[in-house]
Amino acid sequence: MSIEVRELLKIYGEQKAVDHISFKVNQGEIVGFLGPNGAGKSTTMKIITGYLKQDGGEALVCGINVGSHPLEAKKKVGYLPEANPLYFDMYVREYLDFIADVHRVDNKRRSREEVIETVGLSPESRKKIGQLSKGYKQRVGLAAALIHQPEVLVLDEPTSGLDPNQIIEIRDVIRNLGQVKTILFSSHILQEVEAICDRVIIINKGNLVADDTLANLRRAGESQPAILIGFKEAVSANLLENLDGVLSASLLDGGVWKLSTNSPEAVRKQLMELTLQHNLNIVSLQSDTQRLEDVFRNLTGGAQSTP
């Protein structure tokens, strides 16, 4: 077990920021950690990485209790906090050498060059950190989290403030790292979580509200299977509702029909026959599956703040 949290509790004044939550992240998993602002995500991550002490429960990294053996645990974990702390007046290689010295890395030059290559820093690696774009600054933070070769990575909002191209680049880096590392990461960009993770953990007001695969969470939130179909031509509701297995047909924005059905495959076949019989042209056809955004809003009471 790479990360294990048992009945974790953190109290600020009269507020329980983290309220007796428990979860596990197995070796080799990339798990998304979600929740509205103020839900306790960053607090939990800081406890796991040894930057904050809990008021109850315990956190373990690779079987090591973070509270009782913080230095040993920190050797196993790399942490990229939401506010990426960098020294802008230092050169990239100079900064990574400094971090390597902090971790007492044996062959720091080799480790430095390996992480520069891993996170794609080579083109900018001879510049001062202050001269880098936000995307490359994030890569420096990732390189610093990796330089001591940790088994576990904890990433808090690693794509925050990046443009779409930079987000895709960092996503690819994280996905590649997930082949050899255990990764727990938080992101307010839910599409990133869907693109990278098979499993998500969601907390709300300090409480654990979900811990499952994306597929299971979507299925649990679906009340009725449905098909979304768009035609080039105008189509009446009666024509679609007369198909065997269609329970209802409703026209959505953009001229797309939503067909509720208990037999989606049978309905798909009938739709193909319908187009031939009535000389219709289908412009879109897909299953109506819940997005992670829908699941998130359902589990957190439709919170307006970003996770």
Side-chain angles (χ1 to χ4, degrees):
M1 202 69 60
S2 291
I3 300 174
E4 185 172 4
V5 168
R6 302 173 182 166
E7 293 293 320
L8 203 62
L9 174 68
K10 183 63 181 178
I11 302 174
Y12 293 111
E14 297 182 356
Q15 179 186 1
K16 290 182 179 178
V18 179
D19 191 2
H20 295 95
I21 68 171
S22 300
F23 62 83
K24 299 176 182 178
V25 182
N26 296 317
Q27 184 177 2
E29 280 192 301
I30 305 179
V31 175
F33 193 39
L34 308 179
N37 286 334
K41 304 184 307 300
S42 293
T43 297
T44 301
M45 288 179 157
K46 288 176 181 176
I47 293 172
I48 292 171
T49 54
Y51 284 81
L52 190 66
K53 281 193 171 292
Q54 69 269 30
D55 295 309
E58 57 185 359
L60 296 91
V61 175
C62 299
I64 301 169
N65 191 302
V66 178
S68 58
H69 299 88
L71 291 180
E72 289 84 349
K74 287 179 180 180
K75 292 176 183 178
K76 299 289 186 179
V77 62
Y79 178 39
L80 177 62
E82 182 177 4
N84 186 4
L86 298 171
Y87 295 107
F88 286 2
D89 288 336
M90 296 182 76
Y91 289 92
V92 171
R93 282 182 163 82
E94 179 187 13
Y95 174 73
L96 293 176
D97 282 344
F98 165 68
I99 298 297
D101 287 338
V102 170
H103 287 287
R104 298 180 181 177
V105 174
D106 290 335
N107 192 332
K108 68 179 181 181
R109 181 173 180 177
R110 184 183 65 190
S111 297
R112 180 193 68 199
E113 296 307 311
E114 285 178 355
V115 295
I116 285 174
E117 179 68 25
T118 296
V119 304
L121 258 177
S122 298
E124 305 290 298
S125 61
R126 299 193 181 279
K127 290 183 178 180
K128 282 188 175 182
I129 294 173
Q131 297 174 316
L132 302 179
S133 68
K134 179 67 183 292
Y136 275 103
K137 287 186 176 80
Q138 288 295 83
R139 291 173 191 250
V140 174
L142 269 175
L146 287 166
I147 199 159
H148 60 295
Q149 296 298 319
E151 297 176 36
V152 174
L153 278 178
V154 176
L155 311 176
D156 196 356
E157 304 286 0
T159 57
S160 177
L162 305 187
D163 66 36
N165 289 331
Q166 293 169 337
I167 287 172
I168 292 172
E169 291 168 358
I170 296 297
R171 176 203 299 172
D172 291 340
V173 171
I174 293 172
R175 187 184 290 116
N176 289 334
L177 290 171
Q179 298 176 14
V180 293
K181 309 285 185 186
T182 299
I183 300 176
L184 177 71
F185 84 100
S186 169
S187 176
H188 70 279
I189 304 173
L190 299 184
Q191 296 92 327
E192 291 308 296
V193 178
E194 289 185 295
I196 297 173
C197 302
D198 290 322
R199 176 180 160 218
V200 295
I201 296 168
I202 303 177
I203 63 174
N204 187 38
K205 298 178 180 178
N207 295 290
L208 189 76
V209 295
D211 180 359
D212 211 336
T213 63
L214 281 170
N216 286 343
L217 287 173
R218 290 190 184 109
R219 280 195 293 268
E222 290 174 351
S223 56
Q224 182 68 57
I227 292 173
L228 299 179
I229 185 167
F231 296 96
K232 185 177 181 180
E233 300 79 13
V235 176
S236 69
N238 287 337
L239 185 64
L240 299 174
E241 288 174 340
N242 285 334
L243 297 176
D244 292 337
V246 172
L247 305 178
S248 65
S250 55
L251 187 60
L252 307 179
D253 293 339
V256 175
W257 287 93
K258 180 176 181 178
L259 310 180
S260 296
T261 174
N262 287 324
S263 308
E265 290 305 316
V267 170
R268 281 175 178 269
K269 292 179 181 178
Q270 292 179 75
L271 287 169
M272 296 300 105
E273 296 171 359
L274 189 72
T275 59
L276 296 175
Q277 294 170 3
H278 295 270
N279 197 26
L280 299 173
N281 293 284
I282 295 176
V283 295
S284 64
L285 176 63
Q286 64 186 73
S287 298
D288 182 26
T289 57
Q290 281 210 130
R291 298 172 300 165
L292 180 56
E293 180 180 349
D294 301 321
V295 174
F296 177 84
R297 290 180 62 83
N298 289 339
L299 291 171
T300 59
Q304 293 299 312
S305 58
T306 54

